[in-house]
Amino acid sequence: MLEDELKKTFEQLNIQPQPRTFGAVDIVYRGTAVKRRRRTYAVAATGTGTAVVAVVVAFVLNQPPNQDDNSPAGPPIPSSTPVPTSPSVTPDPGASSSAESPASTTPPTTTTRLGATTTATTSPMATTTRTTAPGAGVDTTFRSTGTQPVPTATSR
Amino acid sequence: MSWDAEFTHYFDRCADSMRFTAFLLCGNHHEAEDLVQSAFLKLYLAGPRLAQRDGMDAYLRQIVVRTFLAERRRVRWKREKLTDSMPDVPAAGSLSEDRLVVWHALGAVPAKQRATLVLRYWHDLGVEETAAALGCSVGTVKSNTSRGLKALRQRLGPEFGDLWQEVSRGA
């Protein structure tokens, strides 16, 4: 059988062992060197990784704000806003003023009467009523705002 | 006992047998020395992490075989060119003529089949143990054994069978 022949061949080859050219000390020496080298690489790699992470974080945090964004800072506008219903107060009974409902979406109205000019600017969010009495020089501005701090436009 | 002392003791006990196994796998002593050094170095580095050191023989044999197969896989990328014409004839000089023919024929068997043949017919390992050492299934070991023997027979030629029968009859 070929298998038996193989076994006998292997046995015959094993009769004359060759002299060894290395010993356990060589392996231990090389192993210690490999361990030391691996530790050095591990320390270097950890330091490099930490430095890279620090640089990336610093770069991200130092990004300038977006110049195209002109909206003021504030909480976001909810989709359904409660309609503020605050009546306008007119301190001077002689002067007439008109204030529209804040819910009105009509464009700014200017009412001119004899001696008094009232300009009401209405927006869905805020209403500013400015009443100017003739001769009195009183400039009273009443502002009725809803729940949102929306910039108001005032015109004279 | 420290790991270094334990390793030195183990090396003195097993180095020769492992070197011979490597020689059977590689076919020449120089490559076998390199292979065994690499295997022992791997064992030395992995030793402190070993949970139990009872089956260190099987573990080292597995390292030797797998390192040999990995080297064979990597051989096409290496700068060194292996050649069939050896400058000196290794220990095969002690073989009789028919065994020398077998030894040379074994050199032509592919690496994994050769490793299977060495583990099964030199170390007398079973199919399961060989499969564990090679990291493959039992069926693969069986097919590798069959193909290895077939390749060996083809390499030896039909004349060797006749010669072998004559020798057997004469003995």
Side-chain angles (χ1 to χ4, degrees):
Chain A
M1 291 282 289
L2 187 56
E3 292 90 331
D4 298 330
E5 186 67 11
L6 259 181
K7 281 184 185 177
K8 283 174 185 167
T9 306
F10 293 158
E11 282 165 10
Q12 222 171 52
L13 280 169
N14 198 23
I15 289 171
Q16 292 181 334
Q18 294 279 314
R20 245 186 344 214
T21 58
F22 64 98
V25 181
D26 302 321
I27 304 286
V28 171
Y29 179 76
R30 281 183 59 190
T32 311
V34 169
K35 277 183 189 173
R36 195 185 310 122
R37 194 165 59 235
R38 283 184 184 174
R39 193 178 300 123
T40 307
Y41 286 163
V43 169
T46 307
T48 308
T50 307
V52 167
V53 168
V55 166
V56 168
V57 168
F59 181 75
V60 168
L61 291 180
N62 283 334
Q63 284 281 347
N66 192 3
Q67 298 296 330
D68 299 333
D69 189 8
N70 290 327
S71 62
I77 301 170
S79 57
S80 61
T81 308
V83 179
T85 54
S86 58
S88 298
V89 179
T90 307
D92 190 358
S96 68
S97 65
S98 72
E100 295 181 3
S101 168
S104 171
T105 55
T106 53
T109 314
T110 302
T111 306
T112 305
R113 276 196 182 180
L114 187 62
T117 303
T118 302
T119 304
T121 305
T122 307
S123 74
M125 294 306 182
T127 302
T128 302
T129 305
R130 183 180 294 273
T131 304
T132 306
V138 178
D139 188 2
T140 310
T141 301
F142 299 94
R143 188 175 177 210
S144 168
T145 60
T147 55
Q148 300 302 320
V150 175
T152 59
T154 305
S155 64
R156 251 176 221 268
Chain B
M1 185 188 265
S2 71
W3 167 239
D4 284 7
E6 196 178 339
F7 175 79
T8 305
H9 179 70
Y10 182 74
F11 179 90
D12 292 337
R13 190 166 61 84
C14 296
D16 287 334
S17 66
M18 281 303 150
R19 203 165 51 114
F20 182 67
T21 302
F23 170 67
L24 293 182
L25 292 170
C26 303
N28 74 75
H29 282 291
H30 306 291
E31 204 180 339
E33 293 255 326
D34 292 345
L35 181 61
V36 171
Q37 278 196 48
S38 301
F40 271 108
L41 183 62
K42 287 178 183 176
L43 178 72
Y44 176 76
L45 292 173
R49 295 194 303 271
L50 290 179
Q52 50 182 353
R53 293 171 186 165
D54 299 335
M56 219 141 66
D57 288 342
Y59 183 52
L60 183 61
R61 196 166 50 226
Q62 180 175 311
I63 295 176
V64 168
V65 172
R66 291 190 183 186
T67 307
F68 162 70
L69 292 176
E71 285 290 323
R72 278 291 185 272
R73 237 176 272 129
R74 217 179 295 140
V75 78
R76 72 176 71 172
W77 304 106
K78 287 172 78 172
R79 286 184 184 175
E80 297 97 12
K81 299 291 179 194
L82 298 178
T83 174
D84 287 342
S85 55
M86 296 294 292
D88 54 348
V89 180
S94 63
L95 291 174
S96 58
E97 197 172 341
D98 54 339
R99 302 236 159 87
L100 195 61
V101 173
V102 174
W103 176 243
H104 282 305
L106 189 66
V109 176
K112 197 153 189 181
Q113 295 170 11
R114 181 176 174 135
T116 309
L117 292 179
V118 168
L119 287 177
R120 291 208 63 190
Y121 299 120
W122 173 244
H123 286 282
D124 283 331
L125 297 184
V127 180
E128 289 86 4
E129 291 167 301
T130 308
L134 289 171
C136 61
S137 68
V138 172
T140 309
V141 171
K142 288 178 182 173
S143 64
N144 274 340
T145 308
S146 169
R147 285 177 194 161
L149 290 174
K150 187 180 173 186
L152 208 54
R153 277 194 199 97
Q154 281 176 352
R155 187 82 179 175
L156 291 171
E159 299 84 16
F160 184 81
D162 301 337
L163 180 68
W164 168 245
Q165 282 175 357
E166 285 174 19
V167 169
S168 303
R169 244 181 268 128

